[in-house]
Amino acid sequence: MTPLFALATSFLWGLADFGGGLLSRKTPALTVVIVSQSLAAVVLGAVVAVTGAWSEADARLWFAVAAGVVGPVAMLSFYKALALGPMGVISPLGSLGVAVPLAVGVALGERPGPVQCAGIGVAVLGVVLAGGPELRGAPVRRQAVLLTLVAAAGFGAVMALIAEASTTVTGLFLALFVQRVTNIAVGGSALLASVRRGGRALPDEGARSAVVAALPALAFVGLADVAANGTYALAARTGPVAVAAVLASLYPVVTALAARVTLGERLRGVQAAGAGLALMGTVLLATG
């Protein structure tokens, strides 16, 4: 079941990133994050109330709080890096966060077999290439690289933390709810600070109507992100963390394919080769 849950995570994260990216073209990215997470928190709150998940609150919820704090920091670092450097370099570097849950798996005593090790290497290389790395052009600012590495470490840390936040399905609902509430608190504080410095919280024109019209899409982005966190936690619980982490990190491929199908964006040769390698690595991991 681990490969199935992990691939579902990639699919959901890939679609969430694609939807969030489109929405961020008209609405400030931090606002997209806060609104989408708030809508998801409402749904999760209802699920927690119906299932009585509050009864399973224990010390593991601190892992969810930590994931909720780290997540917005990683996102803000990533967006800042994208503003400073070429996306073709920044995006593949961001996927290197998979190293964090891989290291956690090794620390917990996991030892993937030879076939799975080969699959991990092939899949990680495929994910990096699928981002379409720019090997020529202007040099990348050191600050952009550092911010991207911070973001990658943050994304990987969220994967590791949410996998430890619960031991049952209902407990997972509660952990995801706590993570979302923390996301909103941290992101809201950052947005408030930005507005006080003169930043925008809403689109310049037709602010209210634009946000209202985008509510269904924002809800989808938030719920897809929640579902991805949930399926990843299940993947990490039912099998090796190393396998779950690598398969869950294939989401850049999904984002690129979504852009190809929806926006007609053409994949460059290196991206197509990366997608093929990622698929080959998936097969090796699933059969290893």
Side-chain angles (χ1 to χ4, degrees):
M1 294 297 290
T2 295
L4 181 61
F5 283 131
L7 289 174
T9 300
S10 284
F11 180 73
L12 291 165
W13 263 336
L15 291 182
D17 282 354
F18 175 70
L22 283 181
L23 290 167
S24 296
R25 292 181 178 182
K26 295 183 178 180
T27 303
L30 193 51
T31 299
V32 171
V33 171
I34 294 171
V35 176
S36 63
Q37 296 298 303
S38 297
L39 294 172
V42 171
V43 175
L44 276 172
V47 173
V48 167
V50 170
T51 59
W54 284 112
S55 62
E56 299 197 33
D58 57 23
R60 283 180 172 268
L61 282 182
W62 287 111
F63 287 109
V65 173
V69 171
V70 172
V73 174
M75 284 185 175
L76 289 175
S77 298
F78 192 59
Y79 289 139
K80 179 64 174 176
L82 288 174
L84 293 173
M87 187 175 295
V89 175
I90 302 304
S91 182
L93 283 176
S95 66
L96 296 179
V98 67
V100 176
L102 281 178
V104 170
V106 171
L108 293 176
E110 293 184 357
R111 297 295 183 269
V115 175
Q116 289 182 324
C117 286
I120 289 172
V122 172
V124 170
L125 176 61
V127 169
V128 173
L129 292 178
E134 295 178 4
L135 304 180
R136 300 177 182 177
V140 184
R141 292 173 59 178
R142 181 178 300 178
Q143 184 182 4
V145 174
L146 291 176
L147 284 169
T148 306
L149 293 178
V150 169
F155 291 145
V158 169
M159 295 172 70
L161 288 167
I162 203 62
E164 299 294 327
S166 68
T167 56
T168 65
V169 174
T170 51
L172 179 58
F173 290 143
L174 178 59
L176 292 174
F177 176 68
V178 170
Q179 181 191 9
R180 289 298 152 314
V181 171
T182 308
N183 277 345
I184 296 165
V186 174
S189 299
L191 181 61
L192 180 60
S194 175
V195 170
R196 286 179 174 175
R197 292 195 303 267
R200 293 188 303 123
L202 296 171
D204 290 332
E205 298 179 0
R208 183 176 300 178
S209 60
V211 173
V212 171
L215 283 179
L218 288 164
F220 171 79
V221 169
L223 291 173
D225 181 56
V226 167
N229 279 269
T231 53
Y232 176 74
L234 294 173
R237 186 183 305 157
T238 57
V241 172
V243 174
V246 173
L247 291 179
S249 296
L250 300 179
Y251 59 88
V253 178
V254 177
T255 302
L257 292 176
R260 174 71 179 92
V261 173
T262 305
L263 303 177
E265 293 184 1
R266 297 181 61 85
L267 292 179
R268 291 190 291 164
V270 67
Q271 290 177 302
L277 286 174
L279 180 59
M280 185 186 303
T282 299
V283 174
L284 291 173
L285 283 168
T287 59

